[in-house]
Amino acid sequence: MKPLLVEMTFDFICPWCLIGKRNLERALGTLAKSRPDVPVELRWRGVQLLPDLPAQGVPFMEFYVKRLGSEAAVRARQEQVQEAAYHADVDMDLRRITTMPNTANAHRLLELAMGQGSARQVDALLERLFASYFEAGEDLSQGELLLRLASQCGYDPRRLESALYDDGRPYVGREAVPANQAVPSFLIDQRPSLAGAQPPWLMLAQLQRALELRPTTEACPA
């Protein structure tokens, strides 16, 4: 059977992207139990939400105070995110984050790594990048950190150095993704299917719907 293609658009600084990834994994796990005959291919489509950030990033709290109006508003928003993360079984400690990083290098690194490692390695690197930011509060704009995380996933860091620049140039991926693309968002079998960190049951319903549409779609002329 042709693999069910699931593409997720994300940025590393978006907590809802990590929550959405975890919900997708749960949905795919349930699908695998009911339809073990269906292979799944995952693709990660990075988009840089804040391409104009300086290369070294900006202070995290300062950035969000400007956006939300006060530290109290920022803390309230963080509590909402932390609660959603808890229910999705996602480890997250937003209090440890001090820098809103420029994620261009992180996206370029992951994209280059996709062509050098297995699907398991790619997923491991993506998880480590998310964990570095949301659990440890580390600065993803730092090239040394990015190469160290890649090395921990079995990559040769020397083969990934070409992805790193120190001038803050925006990330432009191999696949065209609109700069204003909502994240997270999901395409299933190349159809826009979901936007936002939807619950696993809704993701599962969309995966099943994509399978139901296959015979009709394949029977229709292009």
Side-chain angles (χ1 to χ4, degrees), residues 27-221:
L28 290 173
T30 302
L31 180 68
K33 293 177 182 177
S34 62
R35 292 293 306 271
D37 59 311
V38 177
V40 175
E41 179 183 352
L42 290 174
R43 291 183 188 172
W44 309 107
R45 296 160 53 92
V47 61
Q48 190 181 6
L49 292 176
L50 302 170
D52 296 327
L53 282 184
Q56 71 276 13
V58 296
F60 181 85
M61 183 59 73
E62 178 181 312
F63 173 86
Y64 271 111
V65 167
K66 287 182 179 178
R67 174 164 290 196
L68 299 179
S70 68
E71 287 196 16
V74 175
R75 296 303 183 195
R77 177 69 60 83
Q78 288 180 332
E79 289 177 5
Q80 293 174 349
V81 173
Q82 292 275 182
E83 183 175 356
Y86 172 80
H87 290 294
D89 197 24
V90 172
D91 290 327
M92 194 174 290
D93 188 355
L94 301 178
R95 295 168 299 179
R96 301 188 69 173
I97 301 174
T98 60
T99 300
M100 174 62 74
N102 182 309
T103 58
N105 279 342
H107 281 297
R108 281 190 289 264
L109 180 102
L110 181 67
E111 183 178 274
L112 189 56
M114 287 179 186
Q116 299 182 16
S118 65
R120 181 171 294 183
Q121 276 183 294
V122 171
D123 185 70
L125 178 55
L126 181 56
E127 284 289 325
R128 282 187 181 271
L129 289 163
F130 272 128
S132 174
Y133 184 62
F134 286 115
E135 292 181 39
E138 294 178 310
D139 182 357
L140 292 183
S141 65
Q142 300 300 309
E144 182 179 346
L145 169 66
L146 298 177
L147 293 176
R148 183 170 74 249
L149 295 175
S151 179
Q152 292 170 0
C153 297
Y155 288 96
D156 181 349
R158 294 170 297 181
R159 298 183 61 197
L160 298 174
E161 289 177 345
S162 62
L164 308 180
Y165 298 91
D166 58 10
D167 57 6
R169 68 185 66 179
Y171 165 71
V172 180
R174 284 194 294 260
E175 295 186 41
V177 178
N180 60 351
Q181 174 73 53
V183 296
S185 60
F186 303 84
L187 288 89
I188 304 176
D189 272 355
Q190 299 183 315
R191 296 188 189 88
S193 301
L194 291 163
Q198 302 298 336
W201 65 266
L202 182 54
M203 290 190 170
L204 177 61
Q206 290 299 312
L207 293 168
Q208 293 169 330
R209 176 62 176 162
L211 291 174
E212 292 171 359
L213 288 173
R214 277 188 162 189
T216 302
T217 303
E218 293 173 1
C220 293

